[in-house]
Amino acid sequence: MTRIFSGIKPTGHLTLGNYLGAVRRWVETDQHRTEALFSIVDLHALTVDHDPARVRRLSRQAASLLLAAGLDPAVCTVFVQSHVDEHTRLAYVLECTATDGEMRRMIQYREKEAQERARGRSVRLSLLTYPALMAADILAYGTDEVPVGDDQTQHVELTRDLAVRFNQRYGHTFVVPRAVLPEVGARVMNLQEPGSKMGKSDDAGPGIVYLLDEPDVIRKKVMRAVTDSGREVEYDREAKPGVANLLDILAGCTGKEPSVLAEGYDSYGVLKKDTAEAVVEALRPLRRRHAELCTDPGYVDGVLRAGAERARGLARPRVDAAYRAIGLLPAG
């Protein structure tokens, strides 16, 4: 049986993009087809300025939403990254395997470092080194597959390089993982900026549908979505990115092909209305289950506690082996 690992960072409220692009696939497919671990990677949220209370709040909310979406703790492992010390233990070993040049070539570091430099500020050291922690997240579990978006494939490639290098220098210790990209169409774009991904954000952006938005708020955001010149409803991501995004969202909620859906519309208004209602209905059971979980925080705590214990049991033998292989004296 293969093993997969994927994580979600608690730096903002989860969005429709997170759900259609990743979480739903975890729920419907990944947790059932193989041994799967899903983590709230809270340590990664510390690489930028943050409010400690907000990180804690968003971590709990993310865990509750993953469970509300349908991750079953009897089938998969759901846990918080910082609850399993093996992540940070292995991260330092991988920092000792990586090079400065590899870290500085990471696109996200280069972009954020340039932004901060332009403002006369510097970035935290952890932003430079966090790809080693991300590699540790993956390698600690003998992960075979890493479901990621295309913006994270560079980090998985680095993880592969570090695993191969460590194995060659110190003896075979790590499984070399591979990235698994979502099917085309799972990428949800910002409703107001269809050239940008609908990612988590610190503000209540009008182009971002959050999983906990009220139905009327969802309808308002979708009805105000940016469309394109002309009146023809066509699925063309290059020529009509706004319309294509609406069709992708509708397809994601209904299971139909976006190009086929386009044939049934002759106006943007009707497309927006149907898309809004499809999103509301798709999120209705998740919102209902989340409300139930909020009344029973002890259940969520128990799931995370059991998940961390299970994850620790899987990770510790491999991390201990990495310590021995690289030359560290075992504890008595």
Side-chain angles (χ1 to χ4, degrees), residues 52-232:
R54 187 170 189 270
V55 171
R56 285 191 292 270
R57 186 169 64 253
L58 290 175
S59 295
R60 173 174 290 281
Q61 184 185 90
S64 299
L65 283 169
L66 292 182
L67 296 174
L71 287 185
D72 184 350
V75 174
C76 66
T77 303
V78 182
F79 68 103
V80 175
Q81 177 194 33
S82 64
H83 293 177
V84 181
D85 292 344
E86 279 64 32
H87 289 254
T88 49
R89 288 181 62 209
L90 183 56
Y92 181 72
V93 167
L94 294 177
E95 286 181 17
C96 296
T97 308
T99 67
D100 175 76
E102 286 175 317
M103 295 297 180
R104 294 187 186 279
R105 281 196 295 273
M106 293 291 106
I107 293 173
Q108 291 185 2
Y109 171 77
R110 290 166 60 188
E111 290 178 347
K112 291 181 181 178
E113 194 272 338
Q115 291 170 359
E116 292 304 303
R117 189 172 60 245
R119 296 169 184 160
R121 301 186 301 208
S122 59
V123 296
R124 299 183 181 189
L125 178 62
S126 56
L127 188 65
L128 176 65
T129 61
Y130 93 91
L133 176 58
M134 184 178 290
D137 297 338
I138 297 166
L139 297 180
Y141 298 101
T143 302
D144 300 285
E145 298 179 3
V146 187
V148 292
D150 54 13
D151 58 338
Q152 291 292 333
T153 55
Q154 186 186 32
H155 289 97
V156 180
E157 286 305 312
L158 174 65
T159 300
R160 290 171 54 85
D161 291 343
L162 295 180
V164 169
R165 186 179 307 152
F166 190 98
N167 289 345
Q168 290 174 342
R169 288 180 180 175
Y170 308 114
H172 185 78
T173 306
F174 297 120
V175 174
V176 180
R178 62 184 180 277
V180 178
L181 298 175
E183 69 275 9
V184 175
R187 189 176 176 91
V188 178
M189 312 305 283
N190 189 295
L191 294 172
Q192 292 297 315
E193 302 174 30
S196 302
K197 187 171 144 184
M198 186 188 286
K200 297 187 295 294
S201 174
D202 289 343
D203 58 23
I208 303 172
V209 174
Y210 297 102
L211 297 187
L212 295 180
D213 277 346
E214 295 290 338
D216 285 347
V217 173
I218 294 173
R219 293 185 182 100
K220 184 179 296 185
K221 288 180 176 180
V222 176
M223 293 304 294
R224 292 178 177 176
V226 168
T227 49
D228 310 287
S229 59
R231 297 184 178 180
E232 301 80 10

Side-chain angles (χ1 to χ4, degrees), residues 280-298:
V280 168
E281 290 306 311
L283 297 183
R284 191 182 301 280
L286 181 151
R287 287 169 46 79
R288 182 171 59 246
R289 178 57 179 152
H290 178 264
E292 294 170 355
L293 289 173
C294 286
T295 66
D296 188 8

